[in-house]
Amino acid sequence: IAAIAFAGIAFAQEYPVRDIRSICNFPPGSGADILVRYFSDRLAKLTDRNVIVENKAGAQGNIATDFVAKAKPDGYTIMITPASSTLAAAPHLFKQLPFDPIKDFAPVATIAKLTFVVTVDATKPIRSIAELNQYLKGRPGDGLFGATNNSGMVSGTILRDTSGLKTTYVPYKVVTDMVHDMVRGEIDFVVTDATWTFGQIKAGRVRALAVTSPTRASAMPDVPTMIEAGFPGFDVTPWWGVVVPAGTPKAVVDRLSALFNQIATSEETKSFLQRTATDSFPGNAESMAALLKADIERWGRYVKLAKIEPQ
């Protein structure tokens, strides 16, 4: 037993001995891609190994998630992901998943909490959720809204249904396409993470009406929450975590967990996240596993509240 334990410790100390594949659920240039590349780059610097980002976009993140679930459990394929969406929400949004969000993955660490924001074209005279709803009522079929992921889609659907509107959801794969369509007037509002959109907000190209978290974002203190906008209990606060395939040696999981916590708690990372309207959210494998389990139940309530039929 002592020999086996020593071997595990030695393995963890040596890890990694070769390049690591970092799988991203979303396309290059997206807000998700920005975070994945940042954390992958910092992991490479800490380990002195190449950490190669591979974008496997599609099916609201399911393609990449399934790929990781079936990868060799040796610590050399990792997924830095908006786990509240790609893992916790997925079982409630799809009738059949090719993976089990609990059984097929080993949680490593939480790393960040995201700000999601309801935005409109800044040239339109819409400065609040109340004014957005009034504007939508004058549009054919109460207008259109866009989102690129589960969190945005659920947030927009809850907003729509709670407001008594019939606004149609338009799914997008790429956030830049979605925002460009909104600016061109092809859709009326979008709900997306602020990682990429924050720059557009600061540039005055789009206007933020509300954030979906229960407290205001430190990077956008003047933007009210959906609760303040008249939606009691509205709380969609996506969080990011790192997972590896189930069966990955615990010593490797612990090593990765320590590395990602070192990254998440650094002043450099906190400064970077602040610039993307994101907050550091360090945590270990155990705390992430508990959060994931609780969030699966919470997303079940969200999807039921939004009356979303699984695809």
Side-chain angles (χ1 to χ4, degrees):
I1 294 173
I4 293 172
F6 179 78
I9 294 172
F11 181 50
Q13 289 175 337
E14 293 175 1
Y15 171 87
V17 297
R18 63 177 190 271
D19 294 352
I20 297 171
R21 304 171 76 186
S22 177
I23 309 303
C24 179
N25 304 79
F26 300 97
S30 62
D33 183 63
I34 292 171
L35 282 182
V36 171
R37 290 183 185 276
Y38 175 86
F39 279 92
S40 296
D41 178 70
R42 295 315 182 271
L43 180 63
K45 290 179 178 177
L46 285 180
T47 60
D48 198 28
R49 299 291 176 186
N50 292 322
V51 180
I52 303 165
V53 175
E54 296 182 19
N55 298 85
K56 295 184 180 295
Q60 296 189 39
N62 288 347
I63 291 175
T65 307
D66 183 47
F67 178 85
V68 174
K70 294 175 172 58
K72 187 176 180 180
D74 56 6
Y76 290 95
T77 300
I78 66 173
M79 185 169 69
I80 304 169
T81 184
S84 57
S85 174
T86 57
L87 293 176
H92 306 291
L93 296 173
F94 298 92
K95 293 178 180 178
Q96 290 186 323
L97 284 176
F99 57 84
D100 185 299
I102 297 293
K103 296 178 181 178
D104 290 341
F105 301 93
V108 172
T110 55
I111 55 174
K113 279 187 175 181
L114 280 181
T115 296
F116 261 60
V117 61
V118 181
T119 62
V120 295
D121 175 11
T123 64
K124 286 188 170 60
I126 303 170
R127 299 185 179 277
S128 67
I129 295 295
E131 289 181 359
L132 172 63
N133 286 345
Q134 194 61 39
Y135 172 81
L136 291 171
K137 289 176 183 177
R139 298 281 289 161
D142 294 340
L144 308 168
F145 84 90
T148 60
N149 50 43
N150 297 335
S151 296
M153 182 265 287
V154 168
S155 297
T157 304
I158 294 174
L159 187 164
R160 176 195 69 191
D161 291 352
T162 306
S163 302
L165 299 171
K166 298 178 181 179
T167 310
T168 300
Y169 161 57
V170 181
Y172 282 84
K173 290 184 178 180
V174 182
V175 66
T176 51
D177 294 343
M178 177 176 68
V179 173
H180 290 160
D181 280 359
M182 180 177 70
V183 172
R184 288 194 294 261
E186 295 182 19
I187 58 175
D188 299 294
F189 74 95
V190 305
V191 189
T192 187
D193 67 88
T195 310
W196 182 84
T197 315
F198 188 48
Q200 303 293 306
I201 294 169
K202 290 197 296 182
R205 192 164 183 239
V206 303
R207 179 179 297 121
L209 301 183
V211 295
T212 64
S213 54
T215 57
R216 294 194 180 198
S218 57
M220 296 183 288
D222 296 332
V223 179
T225 66
M226 286 295 295
I227 294 173
E228 291 174 309
F231 295 77
F234 198 112
D235 176 10
V236 180
T237 310
W239 52 272
W240 277 71
V242 184
V243 297
V244 290
T248 300
K250 186 178 184 302
V252 172
V253 172
D254 291 344
R255 169 74 170 146
L256 280 169
S257 181
L259 289 167
F260 275 103
N261 270 274
Q262 185 176 344
I263 297 168
T265 56
S266 73
E267 290 304 317
E268 179 187 22
T269 295
K270 291 178 182 178
S271 177
F272 165 77
L273 294 176
Q274 175 71 16
R275 295 194 300 272
T276 58
T278 309
D279 295 316
S280 177
F281 183 43
N284 59 26
E286 290 73 23
S287 64
M288 181 178 171
L291 179 59
L292 179 59
K293 183 178 180 180
D295 239 29
I296 288 175
E297 295 180 4
R298 186 162 66 104
W299 274 96
R301 296 195 299 271
Y302 284 167
V303 170
K304 187 175 294 186
L305 177 64
K307 301 177 183 177
I308 296 172
E309 289 293 327
Q311 299 178 20

